[in-house]
Amino acid sequence: MRQRRVLREAAVFLAFLILSVVLTWPFAKNLRTAVPDMGDPLLNAFIIDWDLYAFTHNPLHLFDAPFYQPALYTLAYSENLTAVALLMLPFHLLGAAPLTAYNIAFLVGFAMSGYGASVLARVCGRSLFASMVAGVFFAFCPFKMDHLSHIQIIWSGFLPLMFAALFAYWRQPTTLRAALLGAAFVMNGLTNIHWLLFGSFTLAVTIVFLAIVEWRDWKMLLGVIAAIAIASAMLLPFLIPYRVVSKAYGMKRSPDEVAFYSATWEDWLFATPRNLMYGHIPKDADSHAERKLFPGAVPLFLAIAALLMIRPVEERRPRLSTALTDRRRLLSSTGIVRALDVLIVLFAFATYIGATATEFKIHLFHREFISIDNAALPAFYLIIAIVVRLMLRLPRAFGGPEKTLRDWFAESRFTTEEWSGLIWIAIGVIGSLGLHALLHSFLYRHVEAYRSLRVPARWAIIAYLGLIIWSSLGVDLLLRARRGFQWSAAATAIAILALLDVSSRVRWQQIVIEPDPVYEWLRTAPLRGLVLELPTTGWSVQPLYLLGVTDHHRAIMNGTSGFEPPLHAELREMTERGEMNDVFLAKLEQHHCELVIVHPDWLGDQRKATMRWLNEEVASGRLAFVRRFDHWIDGDYVFALTHVSKDWQRFRAPNTSDEQAARFLRAEPTYNASTFFSLDTPKMEQEYHGPLRVAGWTLSPNGIERVRVRINGGEKIYVTTFLDRPDVVARWPWYPKTKHAGFEVVINKRPKGMAREINLQLEIVDGAGKTARSIDIPVTWD
């Protein structure tokens, strides 16, 4: 029997994994190279790789990640993703590349979300089919597809598993079920800090609700508290670094920033443009991507159907327990109830004052007695007073003085789990409104951890949890009276509608995965200090630097994350303003920066200031050229800070020539020993109409055999024709084997069925048969 259950659960998980592949296709066929974009996915790939590296080399220094150095506990500037990395450890040990391991985790995250939702639905008494449908809605909802760059949001499966364990324990309190609750709590906390804080609050509210409605004894409640306390203690070593860096660097979100990422009621009507069903309704929706919260029409329809069709609890299954009311309790006396009524009125008035007045104060004997500057705190006390009042005695309009809140719940049509689902929907919707509503405003003002969260709109995940319970119930109620062919036809229709509801079109980008030569060298370089890479801003340079760290794992001063340490902010701002001078170099020396790596192709607007600074400091002797490495067109250049690295000559190879560096400093072209190229048209992120012309040039010591254009990861491939480019040959005269440097192809029209948003990649084969590829160029093509 146990083996059969295990096989069933494995089959359910496998089904969601297959759905993850299908609904994100063609992502799975490009696991080594595909990403949603060139930003956060590269950051998160670096974080997971660092976690895996730390697990296998020095786990006690997990939070000393090699970026943003020399700041404290740099991993605590973002999600630590420890749980995700832990589950990817087998793939790492088998030799999966960092981006491959990340992309496997990406697909598994969808599957875990669907599986977790399925478990929660089944714990609440739903059929396997209904639980699978709910799992599809939760795993692939439009909100998730708008957050493909945030793997921590994709990995939301431990949230429903945590509540499933709570319900299972409340039904039958055993040590095993308490342990499962604690384990889910830990894994949820190690996956996503937002889910930890939002989930913990919702878990506490749910436990209080269960204690009110389904009270049994103190032993059962203490078991839940003990499980969560032990789990919290296990999380503590992973949370202390966040506390340390928050205090050290003032890592708090400003009210203006939090308000911007607080949803409005209208945001619940908008879905991601990636969604095929609702993405363009309406086309002019003024809603930030973080605030598009529409869960889909089908789960809403199923939830409403459940509310309309639901039968009394006794006709479906026994309740967890019956409500007990002791009419002789002292606390239900008229005096206590009347006192609570007075408090409710006072707190309601204070809430009104806080909502309308900038600041309200009452002084007594020349001392401040009462001060109200917001509605959050009095409203919080108001809610508590109302709940306590209703627990003691309902108003006559709701059942009279002989009934309490527990009696009212016991006589309702809904089970305790279904009431919990409604509570979660209310919490998720109100919480997503952020500083525009009570819940998050109160937590932001009075709970320090919440002041580090930027996006209150992500509370929506709690509402989606409630939809798991109610949409799955809708499926079961719609199918309950059907048998045979009718059941199959109705179930098929529901399944098709569910898949259509979550179907999306994603423009996957392909990146170059071969390690840059400078990073291969850095892996074994005799480095004792830090490394700074230039430029510090522009395009996607910082995420690409972090992807490079997965090759060498050496400490760099660069980085990108949810927060930025003061030193990095100062250096970045100086380079942006062109203030690269003695002060800039002194700061690098002060913090023991030993090497500076310059990527000329990425300098952009910072080129003039950077080249001036390099020439001045090389002339003064405070910077010394170390090596040049092939990379793109102009190569990568490594300079040593001579005041930090007294024996900087150890970095130089015996045959290193300064000629290339001299040409670079004079802004002259330099020699590449490998294939390099440039795409003249189309330009990145531009819009094109009619025929699309793809043209550029390429050079190689071995000559060029073939240039092809790959669209959308190879969905369509076009062969170019060669052209003469005398301007290119004149500038780089060292490649006689390349007969024609230019290439061109004109694609008359966009292929049928291909979306307007495409990614274009060059594939170049040199005369020796070696292939080089560019990164994807995203363009819009009508």
Side-chain angles (χ1 to χ4, degrees):
M1 188 67 177
R2 178 175 297 178
Q3 184 179 9
R4 185 178 301 174
R5 285 201 302 268
V6 171
L7 290 175
R8 182 193 63 190
E9 298 306 309
V12 171
F13 180 82
L14 180 60
F16 280 112
L17 188 58
I18 293 171
L19 278 174
S20 301
V21 172
V22 172
L23 292 174
T24 60
W25 191 260
F27 176 79
K29 76 173 186 178
N30 296 305
L31 285 181
R32 297 175 66 247
T33 58
V35 289
D37 58 63
M38 301 288 286
D40 283 345
L42 303 188
L43 164 65
N44 289 329
F46 156 74
I47 290 174
I48 291 176
D49 175 75
W50 170 251
D51 289 341
L52 293 167
Y53 184 86
F55 290 164
T56 54
H57 289 78
N58 196 348
L60 294 181
H61 287 271
L62 173 68
F63 277 86
D64 298 320
F67 75 126
Y68 276 155
Q69 293 295 324
L72 289 169
Y73 297 140
T74 53
L75 191 61
Y77 279 68
S78 187
E79 301 285 356
N80 59 72
L81 299 176
T82 308
V84 180
L86 189 63
L87 295 175
M88 291 302 105
L89 187 58
F91 298 99
H92 175 73
L93 296 176
L94 289 172
L99 191 60
T100 303
Y102 171 83
N103 284 339
I104 292 173
F106 181 81
L107 290 176
V108 173
F110 278 118
M112 277 295 298
S113 294
Y115 175 75
S118 171
V119 171
L120 175 60
R122 281 180 283 146
V123 166
C124 295
R126 311 297 183 254
S127 66
L128 179 60
F129 176 76
S131 75
M132 295 286 288
V133 172
V136 169
F137 293 138
F138 186 72
F140 305 102
C141 63
F143 174 79
K144 296 278 189 71
M145 304 310 288
D146 224 356
H147 283 275
L148 296 179
S149 299
H150 303 136
I151 195 172
Q152 65 271 26
I153 288 180
I154 303 302
W155 271 79
S156 52
F158 291 113
L159 268 172
L161 287 174
M162 182 170 68
F163 288 100
L166 173 64
F167 288 146
Y169 174 85
W170 208 264
R171 188 175 302 159
Q172 185 180 348
T174 65
T175 303
L176 175 61
R177 295 184 177 193
L180 290 174
L181 171 60
F185 187 90
V186 170
M187 294 299 283
N188 181 60
L190 294 178
T191 302
N192 189 325
I193 297 297
H194 281 79
W195 294 175
L196 172 64
L197 295 176
F198 298 165
S200 298
F201 176 86
T202 309
L203 185 68
V205 171
T206 308
I207 291 171
V208 170
F209 172 72
L210 292 175
I212 292 172
V213 179
E214 298 285 345
W215 176 260
R216 294 184 185 177
D217 54 51
W218 283 104
K219 183 178 179 181
M220 184 174 69
L221 181 59
L222 290 176
V224 170
I225 295 173
I228 296 174
I230 293 171
S232 300
M234 294 175 66
L235 283 175
L236 199 59
F238 298 91
L239 299 179
I240 289 176
Y242 287 93
R243 170 74 173 177
V244 171
V245 297
S246 178
K247 288 293 186 182
Y249 303 126
M251 287 170 46
K252 300 290 187 295
R253 302 294 184 183
S254 69
D256 289 342
E257 185 178 15
V258 177
F260 177 79
Y261 290 103
S262 298
T264 64
W265 294 107
E266 289 184 347
D267 289 323
W268 279 91
L269 303 177
F270 302 147
T272 171
R274 289 171 171 163
N275 186 273
L276 295 179
M277 296 289 288
Y278 320 109
H280 301 288
I281 306 173
K283 291 184 178 180
D284 59 347
D286 183 19
S287 177
H288 189 273
E290 285 275 12
R291 306 196 310 262
K292 290 180 169 62
L293 306 179
F294 184 60
V298 178
L300 290 178
F301 166 79
L302 291 171
I304 294 171
L307 284 167
L308 297 175
M309 300 170 62
I310 196 168
R311 297 180 297 182
V313 175
E314 292 76 8
E315 297 181 27
R316 292 184 284 149
R317 65 170 175 82
R319 297 185 60 85
L320 297 180
S321 69
T322 58
L324 302 175
T325 307
D326 183 357
R327 309 299 177 196
R328 295 170 294 179
R329 286 178 300 176
L330 176 63
L331 287 179
S332 63
S333 65
T334 302
I336 296 293
V337 170
R338 293 294 172 259
L340 284 170
D341 289 339
V342 173
L343 283 176
I344 288 171
V345 172
L346 291 176
F347 288 139
F349 180 72
T351 302
Y352 166 76
I353 294 296
T356 57
T358 305
E359 189 173 20
F360 178 81
K361 293 182 179 181
I362 296 178
H363 291 80
L364 188 64
F365 301 114
H366 305 291
R367 293 182 179 274
E368 186 177 292
F369 182 63
I370 294 176
S371 177
I372 303 173
D373 61 357
N374 70 91
L377 190 60
F380 179 75
Y381 292 140
L382 173 63
I383 292 172
I384 293 177
I386 291 173
V387 171
V388 174
R389 167 66 170 83
L390 296 178
M391 285 175 61
L392 298 180
R393 185 180 299 175
L394 286 177
R396 192 173 299 276
F398 291 92
E402 296 302 318
K403 288 188 177 181
T404 67
L405 188 63
R406 297 176 66 193
D407 299 309
W408 188 80
F409 279 117
E411 295 171 4
S412 73
R413 294 186 302 152
F414 306 153
T415 65
T416 309
E417 298 98 322
E418 289 155 7
W419 274 115
S420 297
L422 291 176
I423 292 172
W424 300 345
I425 292 172
I427 289 175
V429 172
I430 296 172
S432 72
L433 302 179
L435 298 188
H436 303 148
L438 163 67
L439 176 57
H440 195 83
S441 295
F442 172 80
L443 294 171
Y444 176 79
R445 287 177 176 271
H446 301 287
V447 182
E448 184 177 355
Y450 283 84
R451 292 198 287 275
S452 297
L453 302 183
R454 180 177 61 178
V455 190
R458 294 180 184 177
W459 273 100
I461 196 70
I462 304 300
Y464 303 150
L465 275 178
L467 283 177
I468 293 173
I469 295 177
W470 283 93
S471 63
S472 59
L473 178 59
V475 173
D476 276 345
L477 292 178
L478 287 171
L479 297 177
R480 68 184 176 185
R482 291 170 173 81
R483 298 290 184 272
F485 175 77
Q486 285 189 345
W487 189 96
S488 299
T492 301
I494 291 173
I496 292 173
L497 287 173
L499 292 175
L500 288 175
D501 201 71
V502 300
S503 294
S504 299
R505 180 183 286 118
V506 181
R507 180 167 67 174
W508 302 103
Q509 289 190 246
Q510 310 297 315
I511 68 170
V512 180
I513 58 172
E514 289 77 14
D516 293 338
V518 67
Y519 295 143
E520 290 188 294
W521 168 78
L522 196 59
R523 183 190 307 133
T524 57
L527 185 68
R528 293 192 287 265
L530 304 178
V531 176
L532 176 71
E533 299 192 56
L534 295 176
T536 58
T537 57
W539 188 49
S540 295
V541 294
Q542 297 288 16
L544 286 170
Y545 295 161
L546 295 183
L547 189 64
V549 175
T550 65
D551 293 321
H552 58 77
H553 295 114
R554 310 307 287 268
I556 66 173
M557 302 180 77
N558 304 80
T560 181
S561 192
F563 287 94
E564 183 181 25
L567 175 62
H568 184 272
E570 192 171 2
L571 294 175
R572 173 183 56 78
E573 290 168 0
M574 292 181 75
T575 60
E576 289 174 343
R577 295 192 300 263
E579 296 175 0
M580 302 179 71
N581 47 36
D582 289 343
V583 176
F584 180 80
L585 185 59
K587 287 185 178 296
L588 299 184
E589 293 172 341
Q590 177 186 352
H591 293 92
H592 206 68
C593 177
E594 196 170 18
L595 296 177
V596 172
I597 299 175
V598 183
H599 307 276
D601 294 294
W602 297 345
L603 286 174
D605 294 339
Q606 299 179 31
R607 175 178 286 272
K608 182 177 180 181
T610 303
M611 297 304 295
R612 173 186 52 76
W613 178 70
L614 289 173
N615 276 280
E616 290 175 356
E617 300 305 339
V618 168
S620 70
R622 294 178 71 181
L623 284 180
F625 169 68
V626 173
R627 294 187 181 215
R628 180 196 184 275
F629 297 90
D630 284 353
H631 185 227
W632 285 28
I633 297 174
D634 290 329
D636 291 331
Y637 294 83
V638 182
F639 295 87
L641 280 74
T642 57
H643 289 188
V644 175
S645 183
K646 303 296 184 182
D647 55 341
W648 60 269
Q649 292 85 355
R650 72 184 188 277
F651 292 115
R652 290 172 64 93
N655 58 348
T656 298
S657 170
D658 290 343
E659 179 183 353
Q660 289 277 68
R663 293 184 63 87
F664 163 64
L665 292 173
R666 294 195 301 266
E668 297 175 358
T670 55
Y671 177 80
N672 282 307
S674 57
T675 301
F676 62 106
F677 46 84
S678 175
L679 184 66
D680 298 331
T681 184
K683 297 296 185 182
M684 185 177 293
E685 301 292 358
Q686 296 296 309
E687 187 170 334
Y688 294 86
H689 306 277
L692 182 67
R693 178 175 177 263
V694 182
W697 57 264
T698 180
L699 294 169
S700 175
N702 298 314
I704 301 298
E705 179 70 23
R706 181 176 69 244
V707 179
R708 302 197 303 178
V709 177
R710 296 164 52 89
I711 295 181
N712 292 348
E715 184 178 337
K716 292 290 183 180
I717 298 177
Y718 300 89
V719 178
T720 67
T721 57
F722 289 114
L723 304 172
D724 288 330
R725 287 294 299 266
D727 57 326
V728 174
V729 173
R731 183 166 176 79
W732 288 274
W734 308 294
Y735 304 96
K737 291 186 179 181
T738 302
K739 304 302 182 183
H740 304 282
F743 60 83
E744 177 188 60
V745 64
V746 177
I747 309 171
N748 290 324
K749 63 179 181 179
R750 177 163 46 90
K752 187 177 181 180
M754 184 175 289
R756 297 176 64 246
E757 295 79 16
I758 66 167
N759 289 311
L760 185 148
Q761 185 183 42
L762 297 179
E763 180 184 81
I764 302 168
V765 179
D766 70 6
K770 186 176 181 181
T771 300
R773 287 181 179 175
S774 70
I775 64 168
D776 266 3
I777 306 297
V779 298
T780 300
W781 180 21
D782 289 326

